[in-house]
Amino acid sequence: MNILSYQHWVTDFYKKRSWYELDTFIRINFLTEEVGEVSRAVRALEIGRDRPDEDELSRQKKLENLKEELGDVLDNLFILADKYGISMTQIVENHKEKLVKRYNDN
């Protein structure tokens, strides 16, 4: 699935669940929460959690958790972009152009 197709799919999915209607300030809070969960997942992979009240997960389970949390972050970014009429394809293309110009690298 390409980026634009996914953006349309996730937007429709969020609209069906009435999540899309939430204010962008609320969406930013969800994004912040999910970024924190990515941080926690990376910590678990890199240095562990050292919590006696939690079972130690295998590296594969930790990676699966990180993928899930990164997906949650992406979904919030897709929805924010959509609410402002920006396609993620535009974002990726513009960002690549900025980096190439800044660092004169192809």
Side-chain angles (χ1 to χ4, degrees):
M1 179 178 286
N2 68 41
I3 292 173
L4 189 56
S5 295
Y6 185 77
Q7 185 169 4
H8 292 305
W9 179 86
V10 78
T11 296
D12 289 342
F13 182 83
Y14 272 55
K15 285 179 178 178
K16 286 177 188 171
R17 302 195 70 81
S18 298
W19 297 343
Y20 188 88
E21 290 74 25
L22 295 172
D23 184 88
T24 53
F25 285 112
I26 293 170
R27 181 67 42 213
I28 287 293
N29 284 315
F30 288 154
L31 174 60
T32 302
E33 177 184 344
E34 296 302 343
V35 168
E37 291 176 9
V38 167
S39 296
R40 182 178 179 172
V42 169
R43 175 186 170 186
L45 276 160
E46 295 299 324
I47 64 172
R49 298 255 311 138
D50 194 22
R51 295 278 309 258
D53 60 336
E54 294 178 0
D55 292 332
E56 180 67 23
L57 300 175
S58 69
R59 180 163 179 79
Q60 185 60 37
K61 292 275 187 197
K62 291 176 186 176
L63 285 171
E64 290 299 320
N65 184 50
L66 177 57
K67 284 192 276 187
E68 180 180 330
E69 299 305 342
L70 287 169
D72 291 342
V73 167
L74 280 175
D75 282 357
N76 278 284
L77 292 173
F78 276 91
I79 296 303
L80 282 168
D82 190 78
K83 283 181 164 280
Y84 290 103
I86 305 167
S87 79
M88 290 300 285
T89 303
Q90 286 176 298
I91 292 169
V92 169
E93 289 170 354
N94 290 353
H95 194 69
K96 179 182 176 185
E97 183 179 322
K98 177 187 92 170
L99 292 174
V100 168
K101 277 184 182 177
R102 182 176 292 167
Y103 298 102
N104 297 317
D105 197 9
N106 296 326

